[in-house]
Amino acid sequence: MIATKLIPRTASAQEQPLLVKTILAQSLNYEPQREIVYRDLFRMNYVEFNQRVRRLANLLTSSGVKPGDTVAVFDWDSHRYLECFFAIPCLGAILHTINVRLSPAQILYCMNHAEDKVVVIHEDFLPLLDAIKSQLTTVETFILVSDKVYQNQEVVIPDGFVGEYESLLNTASDQYDFPDFDENTWATTFYTTGTTGNPKGVYFSHRQLFMHTMGLVTYICGYEAVAFHSTHDVYMPITPLFHVHAWGFPLLATMLSARQVYPGRYEPEMLLKLLLKEKVTLSHCVPTILTMLVNSPVARQVDLSRWKVIIGGSALTKGLAKAALELGIQIYAGYGLSETAPILSLTYLNDTERALPIDEQVEFRTRAGRIAPFIDIQLQDDDGQPVPHDGHSLGELTARGFWLTQGYYKETERGEELWRNGWLHTGDVAAITPDNWVIIADRTKDVIKSGGEWVSSLAIENCLSQIEGVAESAVVGFPDEKWGERPHALVVLKPEYAGKVTAETIKTALQGQISSGDINKWYVPDRIVLVGEIPKTSVGKIDKKKIRAEMKALIFS
């Protein structure tokens, strides 16, 4: 370490910690009259929002929540969830966002492992809670959430609950002075599932959430990667708030006092209704959700040219990007992990690329984006040595930055493996261009080695997406005596192409791409199976673990 000269500290000077409450405070400074909307049921401005956050802080305190305690939240994407995003960490407590799509056994493990003390839960998830409630070891208090209060319907409070969220909030004071504390204080936790073992507890500090928000401000508002302007943009997440803090955008939108719209349970009709009525301009989602919306008959009857959509969670294919662009949707790709809070890269078109015709922009928009500000990325080979960023050499993508998690809760060894050699290992194989574009080739476990060639399953899926009639696909590799491994594909057709497109016509189309020089012969799957749907994980990603198991039974039975 080099010798440096430190600034002398004045005894009376105070160093302000980087806390979530600082983000909240900004929401009242410039546009406090702007609204936060929940479906067609509720709306409030930022003055009311701040009051409700403080009421929630008082409610939780009176329920026994102390600094360091963990509060679990089960809810659809709502204004209430946004209030929990701020009230819980600002108390010095820990927000545990529950993935409601996990199995009851997995949720039970996560809640006991996180040592949840208080549970805020929407009544839609009560059957899930009932299945595990008797086995919870640390929970002391339950608070019910219900939309019926906005519809003048009776709310039934289950046994053991202290009451209903809105009623309790209305009786709490709207005055609360959030304290200062160390910026490295634990703020949030959630659990990420892997291919083996129990879910892993990822955690983030106030400092990390603050710095991630500053990174988004720099890239999205400063460099205008997605050009989010609080004066005329309207934000609506279509990524669950339990999924990596909805990629950090609720914190960003709140800091900017931007108009926000929360859709609750994802229903195509409600999403489109809110999109049009509230004039939504910025959303983010996994490809599955965008595919559903793009294929909706209503989508071709309305003007979507103001809508900017960031795709993450799974690769954005050229076929889906073209379909979205044809509808006027401005499409972008982002990349990151649960462990990275999550933003590592995001589409940024420079002046030259922005001037290209839309068809030529697709190549750039379907990459994983350019490396985000304040993030260092290095490609490494199997020996941990750097791989050149020349646009074609492949290596495992490793990262460092201000907002990356330090490890996994109560799992020191797995955290050390994540951070071996001082870099966070993503498990993704990628190339990086000299001008900082990230091109994900595959997960390390999904790359297919066939005939001595490395074949990317994502590249094959990209080729399949451009074939007429193909709505969605997933490719996995299986052992082959002659070639080492060969790709096999599941394909979902667009409804109007059922019976018109077959596995053979798809292979023929791929052969045509070989003839034109777009791909090589190793990219044509040995087997193409047409299916009604492709298995997905709890957060909407393609579940290749399940696909391998199902196709293995099909191929080798």
Side-chain angles (χ1 to χ4, degrees):
M1 185 174 294
I2 64 171
T4 59
K5 187 172 184 179
L6 298 179
I7 294 176
R9 301 183 67 155
T10 303
S12 59
Q14 182 182 10
E15 291 186 1
Q16 289 296 110
L18 306 179
L19 301 176
V20 171
K21 75 169 190 176
T22 311
I23 296 173
L24 176 66
Q26 289 298 314
S27 66
L28 288 173
N29 286 350
Y30 304 106
E31 302 287 351
Q33 79 288 349
R34 287 189 181 143
E35 287 189 320
I36 298 169
V37 178
Y38 175 54
R39 292 174 77 88
D40 51 1
L41 298 174
F42 182 86
R43 59 182 65 227
M44 61 181 165
N45 62 31
Y46 276 93
V47 173
E48 295 166 313
F49 172 70
N50 274 263
Q51 291 171 343
R52 286 172 60 91
V53 168
R54 284 169 168 76
R55 288 182 187 274
L56 179 55
N58 279 306
L59 167 58
L60 293 171
T61 300
S62 66
S63 298
V65 174
K66 301 185 296 297
D69 287 340
T70 304
V71 179
V73 178
F74 294 71
D75 197 4
W76 305 111
D77 290 2
S78 73
H79 61 299
R80 298 172 299 246
Y81 220 142
L82 186 66
E83 289 157 10
C84 289
F85 264 44
F86 288 93
I88 296 168
C90 289
L91 286 173
I94 301 163
L95 167 66
H96 180 190
T97 54
I98 299 288
N99 181 346
V100 297
R101 297 172 185 165
L102 296 180
S103 69
Q106 288 175 312
I107 291 176
L108 174 64
Y109 170 83
C110 296
M111 294 181 71
N112 285 339
H113 190 266
E115 303 172 45
D116 295 336
K117 183 173 183 178
V118 173
V119 175
V120 179
I121 183 167
H122 192 287
E123 61 185 356
D124 286 355
F125 304 116
L126 289 178
L128 198 163
L129 177 65
D130 289 341
I132 62 174
K133 189 176 179 182
S134 64
Q135 302 172 72
L136 293 172
T137 57
T138 58
V139 176
E140 299 175 3
T141 304
F142 296 93
I143 298 171
L144 182 70
V145 166
S146 175
D147 287 347
K148 292 176 182 175
V149 296
Y150 307 123
Q151 301 163 320
N152 296 317
Q153 298 180 28
E154 181 183 3
V155 178
V156 178
I157 308 298
D159 290 342
F161 279 64
V162 298
E164 186 276 325
Y165 184 95
E166 287 293 335
S167 299
L168 294 169
L169 219 61
N170 289 336
T171 62
S173 168
D174 62 6
Q175 300 298 308
Y176 197 102
D177 186 15
F178 290 120
D180 280 341
F181 40 75
D182 193 305
E183 64 189 29
N184 295 302
T185 297
W186 189 354
T188 65
T189 190
F190 54 85
Y191 283 72
T192 179
T193 56
T195 55
T196 59
N198 289 316
K200 302 185 294 292
V202 178
Y203 49 86
F204 293 94
S205 69
H206 282 254
R207 174 183 168 81
Q208 287 166 327
L209 296 182
F210 185 94
M211 293 307 299
H212 186 268
T213 305
M214 294 305 105
L216 285 177
V217 169
T218 302
Y219 209 17
I220 292 178
C221 305
Y223 288 107
E224 297 190 354
V226 188
F228 182 51
H229 300 289
S230 65
T231 52
H232 54 254
D233 275 311
V234 180
Y235 166 68
M236 181 173 76
I238 320 181
T239 304
L241 269 71
F242 66 70
H243 188 211
V244 205
H245 321 117
W247 304 353
F249 282 86
L251 296 176
L252 170 67
T254 300
M255 189 188 78
L256 298 176
S257 54
R259 286 198 68 226
Q260 300 187 61
V261 179
Y262 287 86
R265 185 172 188 163
Y266 295 163
E267 299 162 336
E269 297 80 7
M270 178 57 68
L271 290 174
L272 285 169
K273 177 181 177 180
L274 292 171
L275 183 65
L276 299 174
K277 180 183 176 182
E278 304 296 338
K279 297 181 173 57
V280 173
T281 62
L282 176 66
S283 297
H284 47 77
C285 62
V286 295
T288 306
I289 297 292
L290 184 62
T291 299
M292 175 186 71
L293 293 171
V294 164
N295 290 333
S296 168
V298 179
R300 300 193 175 278
Q301 302 171 18
V302 296
D303 180 11
L304 298 175
S305 61
R306 286 172 46 85
W307 196 27
K308 294 167 281 197
V309 179
I310 302 169
I311 293 295
S314 297
L316 172 63
T317 64
K318 290 182 179 179
L320 180 57
K322 288 178 180 177
L325 289 167
E326 286 172 1
L327 292 173
I329 300 170
Q330 301 170 60
I331 198 79
Y332 305 85
Y335 168 74
L337 311 178
S338 295
E339 292 84 350
T340 65
I343 301 296
L344 290 179
S345 62
L346 187 65
T347 297
Y348 172 81
L349 301 176
N350 63 25
D351 291 344
T352 301
E353 294 154 352
R354 204 176 301 120
L356 294 172
I358 285 293
D359 285 349
E360 295 181 35
Q361 290 183 18
V362 169
E363 171 64 33
F364 298 100
R365 290 178 182 266
T366 53
R367 294 175 177 178
R370 273 192 163 102
I371 300 171
F374 316 125
I375 288 292
D376 292 329
I377 286 181
Q378 183 183 91
L379 298 180
Q380 295 184 8
D381 62 20
D382 291 343
D383 297 321
Q385 296 303 307
V387 172
H389 294 186
D390 55 18
H392 57 82
S393 297
L394 296 177
E396 184 186 5
L397 192 152
T398 65
R400 296 189 299 206
F402 295 122
W403 50 77
L404 281 56
T405 189
Q406 269 82 43
Y408 301 114
Y409 184 45
K410 298 179 183 176
E411 299 192 67
T412 304
E413 290 184 3
R414 294 175 86 171
E416 290 174 351
E417 174 64 17
L418 176 71
W419 274 99
R420 60 190 183 275
N421 303 322
W423 291 84
L424 185 146
H425 287 252
T426 67
D428 287 319
V429 176
I432 298 178
T433 67
D435 54 352
N436 289 326
W437 281 105
V438 178
I439 305 169
I440 302 295
D442 232 324
R443 295 291 293 169
T444 53
K445 60 181 179 290
D446 291 336
V447 174
I448 302 164
K449 191 166 188 178
S450 188
E453 293 282 337
W454 286 106
V455 178
S456 163
S457 66
L458 299 182
I460 301 174
E461 291 162 7
N462 201 31
C463 293
L464 289 167
S465 76
Q466 298 176 74
I467 296 173
E468 187 175 10
V470 172
E472 195 175 18
S473 67
V475 175
V476 296
F478 282 105
D480 182 270
E481 289 186 5
K482 182 177 181 181
W483 302 112
E485 282 187 303
R486 289 295 297 141
H488 298 255
L490 293 184
V491 172
V492 177
L493 298 179
K494 296 176 182 177
E496 64 269 26
Y497 285 86
K500 300 177 184 177
V501 174
T502 66
E504 288 306 314
T505 60
I506 292 172
K507 280 193 175 184
T508 300
L510 287 174
Q511 292 289 348
Q513 294 187 43
I514 293 173
S515 301
S516 65
D518 293 338
I519 59 174
N520 64 38
K521 64 181 181 180
W522 307 108
Y523 279 58
V524 180
D526 278 13
R527 180 186 293 261
I528 297 175
V529 180
L530 303 182
V531 296
E533 63 179 356
I534 290 173
K536 303 291 196 312
T537 68
S538 62
V539 292
K541 298 180 183 180
I542 292 175
D543 190 344
K544 293 199 173 180
K545 177 185 175 183
K546 187 173 183 180
I547 291 170
R548 285 190 189 92
E550 293 179 355
M551 290 196 74
K552 184 177 181 180
L554 176 67
I555 295 168
F556 299 109
S557 59

